[in-house]
Amino acid sequence: MAHRAILGWFLLLATVGAQDANASGGRLLPEQAAIDVRHYDLALTVDPQAKTISGACTMTARALTSVERVALHLDQRLTVSSVVVGERQVPFTHADGLVRVTLPGPVAEGGEVAVTIAYGGAPRVAPNPPWKGGFTWKETRDGQPWIATSCQGEGADLWWPCKDHPSDKPETFDLHITVPRGLVCASNGTLRKVERVKGGRRFHWHVANPISNYCVALNIAPYTVLKTTFVSVDGTRVPVEFYALPRNEAKAKKFLPEVLDHLKQMEEICGPYPFRNEKYGVAETPHLGMEHQTIIAYGNKYRVRQAFNYDWLHHHEMSHEWWGNLVTCKDWRDMWIHEGIGTYMQALYLESRRGPEAYAVQMTKKRRTLRNSRPIAPRASQDSKQIYFNPKGGFDNDLYDKGSWVMHTLRWVLGDKQFFKALRRMAYPDPKLEKVTDGSQGRFATTEGLRAIAEEHHGEDLRWFFDLYVRQPALPELVVKKDGGRLQLAWKTPGDVEFPMPVPVKLGKKIVRVPMPGGKATVALKGRVYEVDPNHRLLKVEPRRPGRRGRRR
Ligand SMILES: [Zn+2]
């Protein structure tokens, strides 16, 4: 998700009150911990006039223990008409956003659990998509429906019954979506079939890779589809599909080469695009954007003439195909992996395509917003809203911008060569996985797992680095004193924890790396002019906010 308009969310909250505590993840219900979802089959008819959906969802799962009951989340705004197991209807309850089903008999460990829930109604209208999600029912200028779903913060149970937890992705997914004639439904995976049915057309999309529930999306409009091919680093020809509103066809066409360049740069740094056996897709949406797997929601209005003359929004959402969709946090406490590393990718794009100065300007810009009021990777389990919204209110970008600075400073510690090797292994831990497209190329990752990869490439323990930067909120302070002909450097840390962060010091014209064993060092100046951390490599307390002017010193 992109963070630009997050302020709007809070303004909205202030006016309507916290009416919906519906979040995703956090504590796993025992009934949900007992199953591993393998597949969802979602068949829905979307009625733009009535603003309703109706249909059925079949969940197929493997029992991890003996299972007698199934519990799936579904927003209370929707009404369940029946639940079928095997071929028989079974009793159910639907209360507090949870559909509870008692199976006709227990399913033994390793057995298959399949439940079909027929339901329908008016799903929540997204109050401020994508940050506060649901269905967005917009119209194009000529009055045709333009519909999008978004549900990262609340979970997909806003519109279909699911095990609403980030730790369980179905291996595959099928969508059968019926929309009125003249409209196109753009969704995840590959389009298997378009059928004429009563009242419209039914689109069958098949997802061949594991997918996070919140990444399943409907985009419905009288889209024009621009198609091209992207040749991946591994030689695969990947279909690229851009679903544009007809009036924006020319703009989309002009934008496509940049889309391909973003893909190319991400592959250069992070390895092959993970979903080469499906497609890379973009759908123009009436909200800013979301990392919907293989069908990125794009609502940045083709504003490529923004800062640095590139479309940051598209690049950001696309970077989530690696950081979020290939590499996924199992618990929302590790969401900085999606947003922090995802945000750092834009700086790397600018460095690669516009030069080091653009990278420096981007990082300086990101440094300004940090709040440091809570850890970006708390150790305790978090639901999607706990991790995303600061309980103290206000604007909090730390998951994004502090996360990107953690990567920036990690790069200083490891050095470019090892850092970029480590970054690639964070995406694909084994080079062999870069060749895989059967769904096993992705994984759940944790902060500890990424630390292990960084340590492997650094050859030294990095607990001190991650403990200080992501496990607690306060920044370290570098105390610099000039003592005669010597420079005294000392790290001041919260709780006086050990912090042997090496410090770059410019002495005369040369930048040297000063090791800081025990968090301290003394540098003999020998009459040379000095500057500490001249290129702002260190995430630390700044005496004043670094500005562009400061950088040119
Ligand atoms: Zn994002």
Side-chain angles (χ1 to χ4, degrees):
M1 178 160 24
H3 60 66
R4 277 294 163 92
I6 201 171
L7 200 59
W9 193 91
F10 289 101
L11 292 176
L12 189 105
L13 197 69
T15 53
V16 300
Q19 64 176 35
D20 198 318
N22 183 10
S24 174
R27 196 177 64 87
L28 199 53
L29 296 170
E31 296 96 319
Q32 296 194 336
I35 57 169
D36 171 22
V37 178
R38 311 293 295 173
H39 182 74
Y40 291 100
D41 186 289
L42 181 60
L44 284 179
T45 297
V46 179
D47 184 340
Q49 271 204 317
K51 297 187 170 64
T52 58
I53 55 173
S54 64
C57 178
T58 300
M59 179 214 64
T60 309
R62 197 162 50 91
L64 299 175
T65 173
S66 175
V67 171
E68 291 175 24
R69 280 178 295 275
V70 170
L72 293 180
H73 288 95
L74 182 66
D75 191 61
Q76 215 59 41
R77 288 173 183 83
L78 298 163
T79 305
V80 176
S81 51
S82 72
V83 177
V84 171
V85 175
E87 288 187 351
R88 53 197 271 211
Q89 289 207 10
V90 294
F92 67 89
T93 59
H94 184 202
D96 302 323
L98 204 59
V99 181
R100 290 181 185 275
V101 179
T102 303
L103 299 175
V107 174
E109 181 186 335
E112 189 185 274
V113 180
V115 176
T116 299
I117 297 178
Y119 71 104
R124 184 169 94 160
V125 174
N128 186 31
W131 301 278
K132 207 161 162 57
F135 266 70
T136 301
W137 307 92
K138 283 270 269 217
E139 285 189 348
T140 60
R141 274 185 201 166
D142 57 351
Q144 296 197 67
W146 184 20
I147 302 159
T149 59
S150 58
C151 56
Q152 184 182 32
E154 299 79 5
D157 58 324
L158 271 187
W159 61 285
W160 53 276
C162 59
K163 176 177 167 182
D164 183 22
H165 201 277
S167 65
D168 197 355
K169 297 184 188 185
E171 269 48 50
T172 53
F173 204 112
D174 283 278
L175 296 108
H176 311 267
I177 308 300
T178 303
V179 298
R181 207 164 295 135
L183 298 179
V184 173
C185 175
S187 189
N188 318 86
T190 48
L191 184 58
R192 283 264 171 99
K193 202 169 166 188
V194 183
E195 283 173 287
R196 282 196 184 177
V197 293
K198 192 171 161 263
R201 291 195 295 172
R202 181 161 58 214
F203 291 77
H204 175 196
W205 288 94
H206 175 70
V207 181
N209 285 287
I211 183 168
S212 295
N213 294 344
Y214 80 88
C215 280
V216 174
L218 305 184
N219 306 279
I220 300 164
Y223 286 123
T224 296
V225 193
L226 304 179
K227 292 185 181 181
T228 183
T229 304
F230 170 74
V231 182
S232 171
V233 272
D234 78 341
T236 314
R237 297 180 75 82
V238 184
V240 174
E241 297 174 9
F242 197 110
Y243 292 79
L245 293 186
R247 71 180 162 88
N248 291 331
E249 187 179 348
K251 285 181 187 168
K253 213 169 179 175
K254 210 174 148 197
F255 181 41
L256 259 183
E258 186 180 330
V259 167
L260 300 186
D261 187 53
H262 290 183
L263 269 170
K264 187 167 180 284
Q265 178 262 343
M266 279 299 295
E267 284 204 331
E268 286 163 7
I269 286 170
C270 302
Y273 170 65
F275 311 109
R276 304 186 292 294
N277 61 337
E278 299 184 299
K279 71 170 184 301
Y280 179 71
V282 179
E284 202 179 330
T285 50
H287 63 77
L288 186 60
M290 182 58 74
E291 60 263 30
H292 298 144
Q293 189 169 303
T294 70
I295 190 73
I296 295 298
Y298 172 78
N300 204 29
K301 301 175 181 169
Y302 309 93
R303 288 185 293 208
V304 288
R305 291 194 183 282
Q306 294 178 133
F308 303 118
N309 197 22
Y310 88 119
D311 197 310
W312 70 272
L313 186 274
H314 174 265
H315 193 281
H316 179 83
E317 303 306 349
M318 189 199 61
S319 75
H320 284 308
E321 293 282 32
W322 284 260
W323 308 108
N325 299 343
L326 172 71
V327 180
T328 310
C329 60
K330 201 169 191 162
D331 185 290
W332 287 115
R333 68 181 151 210
D334 288 314
M335 192 187 187
W336 81 277
I337 295 172
H338 298 197
E339 298 300 356
I341 305 184
T343 296
Y344 188 58
M345 295 300 111
Q346 284 83 74
L348 292 182
Y349 178 78
L350 291 173
E351 182 179 24
S352 156
R353 301 305 196 248
R354 306 285 185 271
E357 180 72 8
Y359 171 89
V361 171
Q362 173 84 348
M363 292 315 297
T364 304
K365 215 163 87 181
K366 297 289 165 195
R367 177 67 186 79
R368 291 196 189 111
T369 68
L370 307 195
R371 283 178 71 178
N372 305 303
S373 68
R374 50 189 195 135
I376 60 169
R379 290 183 196 273
S381 174
Q382 302 277 301
D383 71 34
S384 53
K385 287 188 174 171
Q386 286 170 322
I387 192 69
Y388 204 79
F389 297 110
N390 194 316
K392 289 172 188 155
F395 197 49
D396 190 347
N397 266 341
D398 284 10
L399 275 187
Y400 295 81
D401 296 346
K402 188 171 182 178
S404 73
W405 260 85
V406 168
M407 298 308 285
H408 170 68
T409 298
L410 183 65
R411 180 177 173 182
W412 155 249
V413 175
L414 267 63
D416 274 15
K417 196 175 166 198
Q418 290 306 321
F419 173 78
F420 283 105
K421 276 189 190 171
L423 185 62
R424 188 142 178 164
R425 294 287 80 87
M426 287 176 186
Y428 290 101
D430 184 333
K432 284 183 197 139
L433 287 172
E434 295 188 5
K435 297 187 168 65
V436 174
T437 54
D438 66 0
S440 65
Q441 68 272 32
R443 77 187 195 286
F444 287 111
T446 60
T447 300
E448 291 304 297
L450 297 197
R451 174 170 68 82
I453 293 169
E455 285 174 346
E456 202 182 298
H457 289 80
H458 186 45
E460 283 174 38
D461 186 276
L462 286 168
R463 211 176 301 254
W464 58 271
F465 178 95
F466 286 93
D467 280 358
L468 194 115
Y469 282 137
V470 307
R471 297 301 193 188
Q472 65 82 47
L475 292 181
E477 189 182 342
L478 183 61
V479 181
V480 181
K481 279 184 192 149
K482 203 184 160 204
D483 171 18
R486 291 180 310 176
L487 196 61
Q488 308 275 11
L489 302 174
W491 282 110
K492 201 170 134 192
T493 57
D496 290 325
V497 293
E498 206 194 321
F499 193 65
M501 171 69 79
V503 175
V505 179
K506 192 172 179 187
L507 292 169
K509 286 182 178 168
K510 216 173 136 194
I511 295 175
V512 297
R513 184 186 180 96
V514 178
M516 298 280 284
K520 287 179 189 161
T522 302
V523 181
L525 290 172
K526 296 173 188 165
R528 290 169 296 186
V529 177
Y530 73 91
E531 191 180 354
V532 176
D533 192 20
N535 295 321
H536 303 283
R537 306 298 300 265
L538 305 174
L539 177 55
K540 63 182 189 310
V541 172
E542 293 294 340
R544 63 178 185 83
R545 288 175 173 186
R548 287 180 198 197
R549 201 172 293 152
R551 283 214 47 77
R552 291 209 190 93
R553 266 181 303 150

